[in-house]
């Protein structure tokens, strides 16, 4: 640990919220259908798309119509991507001549990208044709993010409205968010990344003869355009197997700063946009503060842990104060620790260092951030509606304590909302713990592990946390490209995405129809220190009660093994 | 149902054309026009103009006359057609014995005492297996070996390694590091002058 590292962490965290502010105000205008400086260029395109889709933009949908649209869109995306992956060997733009994907791998990848998880069961540069990367994976990077942001817009309308039936039009939200937010941002970030050295070419590789006379083949491709949306849209699926640790995805500290800030920027911006649209700025600021505090605390803790004594280095008489296994030297422990907190807190899943080689407790913190429900600040859109579910539970708990019907942002929170909220909250433990328990006893699953003992359990637990939380990062020692893992992880991703979205939409539909009440003397303010503390408590207690026993058997047990191994 | 199918399929097809083809091709066009060197992988060339590698991607070196990189976890060290780390946890026995073996070999090669505290990057593998950099401390340890093999004064080798060293951006972003391939190109040009 040094001052340089702390300064790097502080600047990156500060910028991630700093850029989110103007971005959030801009996004609120897009959600509300207001004109912006891009309107003269994009409005004709927007109108044209509505005509092709047969959508009447002024028609607002109820929660069921909106949900059906989300699901129909995701199914269409899945079918197209699955077909593309199964047929890539016959299709053009395949200079390296890769074959078609196996059915179970294609299923896993298609589900993974449609659910904004972007788990990598495959090595990008050794499996995917350029067409699959561009027209398949990169498209889903945009659309799965846009779908999440659309639901966040619907959430803002549900709270903003007074006895409304409609939540807005999904297709309009989808098109506007893609055209006005994701595409312009991606263009800017992609070009900035090329300027830092990220390649952007249609050649798949170049072969050179090195100084010692050995041949070296450098895998290339349209990396920058994909890297940009991968971070902005909290997707995280890398162009290369090593993801953002690969020097071509993330060549230097500047590219690392741009990418790390991009991981959380749009997530925090969604909270700000919600605050503006639902006329609840202070309340939204509380949500931002809680998310920020948790993810910052995790970054600080992991940076501290990565500078503890590493047993293997100590035994070999090597300088043992920095855990550099699985880390790139240009980033060191500071930038690697910070990124690992941001990517797990934000449901991004890209990595600039290998999580499996982190210290045991660091891995535990990474897992715990995912298990808290991907709300710190979570995936774009999904982080906001996840956090709103936690806020509803927080006011419900407070309401129980004082014996009043709880309210959040002027909407009464009653039995129906709490039942749906509990349904949503229980999906994650079902997907994570249910599958982990099965995998821990089935030989077909266990044969994929790289390690046994507590570290092996961490591999299992991390994999299903990542899938259920739609994160996508991994303890990559696990060989996941087998029928068992591809299939069950795919199911966990579907549960984590749609098992959450449907109850959330039901809550939004119910809240939208209620009158928005003015606050009275008896209303618990949903901002300030008291509420933030309450929300923080609910998030930690809920996550802790659900996952602490499993974490105790994995990373925590391994931490004590580590302490024991350091004793002389 | 039809009210959902048409916009669902229609939007996917339109987005595939716009985001999957137009967007990456437009970025490729702009990047290839404005920043062709970087867009094509930041290739570095020797004095004859032949590409010998990428400034961003590590390369394996075995000769005592060259600066050596970190170990690589890839099946073939620094094979840049693939990428990845060892994924071994800090308590792994496999990792501990790999580090011990690596440290012993390195101490012999560098003529160091058996308990010399080597810098950690000299015996750990990176996340990508393609790390282009090493620490200044590890570079410094290799100076005597390189100078002897090239018959050059230690000061000149040292200066070449310094020239290939980059500090943190703005003084605090990223670590101070030595680019192995750049250092070796500089060393080759030094030897060229001496001859």
């Amino acid at each position: 640990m040094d001052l340089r590292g702390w300064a790097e962490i502080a600047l990156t965290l500060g910028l991630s919220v700093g850029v989110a502010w103007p971005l959030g105000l801009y996004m609120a205008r897009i959600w509300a259908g207001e004109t912006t400086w891009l309107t003269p260029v994009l409005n004709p395109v927007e109108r044209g798309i509505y005509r092709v889709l047969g959508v009447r933009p002024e028609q607002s949908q109820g929660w069921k119509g909106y949900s059906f649209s989300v699901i129909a869109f995701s199914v269409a995306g899945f079918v197209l991507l699955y077909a593309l992956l199964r047929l890539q060997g016959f299709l053009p733009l395949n200079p390296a001549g890769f074959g078609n994907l196996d059915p179970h791998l294609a299923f896993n990848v298609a589900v993974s990208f449609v659910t904004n998880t972007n788990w990598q069961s495959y090595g990008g540069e050794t499996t995917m044709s350029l067409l699959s990367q561009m027209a398949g994976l990169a498209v889903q990077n945009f659309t799965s993010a846009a779908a999440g942001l659309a639901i966040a817009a619907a959430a803002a309308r549900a709270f903003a409205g007074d006895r409304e039936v409609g939540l807005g039009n999904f297709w309009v939200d989808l098109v506007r968010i893609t055209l006005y937010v994701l595409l312009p941002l991606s263009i800017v970030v992609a070009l900035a990344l090329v300027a830092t050295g990220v390649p952007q070419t249609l050649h798949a590789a170049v072969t050179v003869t090195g100084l010692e006379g050995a041949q070296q083949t450098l895998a290339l491709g349209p990396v920058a355009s994909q890297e940009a949306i991968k971070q902005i849209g909290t997707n995280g699926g890398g162009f290369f197997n090593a993801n953002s640790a690969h020097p071509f995805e993330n060549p230097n500290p500047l590219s690392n700063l741009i990418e790390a800030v991009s991981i959380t920027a749009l997530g925090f911006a969604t909270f700000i946009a919600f605050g503006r649209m639902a006329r609840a700025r202070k309340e939204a600021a509380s949500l931002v503060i809680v998310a920020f505090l948790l993810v910052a605390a995790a970054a600080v803790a992991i940076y501290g842990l990565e500078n503890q004594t590493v047993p293997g280095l100590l035994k070999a008489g090597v300088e043992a104060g920095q855990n550099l296994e699985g880390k790139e030297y240009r980033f060191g422990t500071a930038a690697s620790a910070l990124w690992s907190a941001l990517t797990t807190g934000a449901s991004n899943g890209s990595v600039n260092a290998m999580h499996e080689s982190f210290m045991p407790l660091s891995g535990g913190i990474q897992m715990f951030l995912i298990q808290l429900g991907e709300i710190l600040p979570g995936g774009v859109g999904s982080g906001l509606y996840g956090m709103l579910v936690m806020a509803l539970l927080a006011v419900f708990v407070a309401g129980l304590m004082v014996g009043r019907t709880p309210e959040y942002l002027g909407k009464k929170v009653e039995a129906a909302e709490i039942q749906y909220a509990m349904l949503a909250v229980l999906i994650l433990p079902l997907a994570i713990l249910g599958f982990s328990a099965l995998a821990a006893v089935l030989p077909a699953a266990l044969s994929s592990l790289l390690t046994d003992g507590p570290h092996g359990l961490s591999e299992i637990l991390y994999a299903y946390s990542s899938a259920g939380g739609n994160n996508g990062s991994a303890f990559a020692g696990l060989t996941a490209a087998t029928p068992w893992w591809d299939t069950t992880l795919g199911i966990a991703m579907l549960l984590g995405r749609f098992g959450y979205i449907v109850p959330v939409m039901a809550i939004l539909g119910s809240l939208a129809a209620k009158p928005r009440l003015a606050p009275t003397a008896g209303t618990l303010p949903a901002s300030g220190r008291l509420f933030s503390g309450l929300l923080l408590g609910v998030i930690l207690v809920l996550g802790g009660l659900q996952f602490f026993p499993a974490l105790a058997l994995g990373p925590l047990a391994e931490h004590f093994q580590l302490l024991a191994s350091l004793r002389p | 149902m039809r009210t959902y199918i048409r916009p669902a399929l229609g939007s996917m097809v339109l987005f595939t054309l716009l985001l999957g083809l137009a967007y990456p091709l437009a970025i490729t066009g702009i990047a290839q026009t404005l920043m062709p060197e970087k867009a094509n992988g930041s290739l570095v060339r020797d004095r004859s103009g032949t590409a010998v590698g990428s400034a961003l991607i590590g390369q394996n070196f075995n000769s005592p006359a060259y600066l050596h990189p970190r170990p690589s976890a890839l099946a073939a060290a620094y094979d840049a057609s693939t990428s990845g780390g060892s994924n071994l946890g800090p308590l792994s026995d496999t990792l501990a014995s790999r580090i011990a073996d690596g440290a012993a070999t390195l101490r012999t090669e560098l003529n160091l005492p058996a308990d010399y505290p080597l810098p950690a990057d000299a015996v750990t593998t990176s996340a990508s297996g393609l790390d282009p950099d090493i620490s200044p401390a590890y570079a410094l340890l290799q100076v005597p070996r390189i100078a002897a093999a090239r018959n050059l004064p230690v000061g000149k080798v040292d200066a070449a390694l310094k020239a290939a060293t980059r500090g943190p951006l703005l003084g605090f972003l990223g670590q101070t590091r030595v680019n192995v391939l750049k250092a070796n190109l500089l060393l080759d040009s030094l030897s060229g002058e001496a001859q």
Side-chain angles (χ1 to χ4, degrees), chain A residues 411-464:
Chain A
K411 300 276 185 173
K412 274 200 184 323
V413 179
E414 290 163 306
E417 287 83 23
I418 293 300
Q419 282 161 6
Y420 287 128
M422 285 318 296
L423 208 59
V425 165
L426 287 173
I427 284 290
L428 213 50
L430 176 75
I432 297 174
L433 299 176
F435 278 121
S436 292
L438 280 178
V441 294
L442 287 178
L446 291 171
S447 60
S448 285
L449 298 187
L450 180 70
T451 325
D452 52 11
H455 196 73
L457 182 68
S458 293
E459 285 183 9
I460 298 176
L461 201 56
Y462 199 108
Y464 288 112

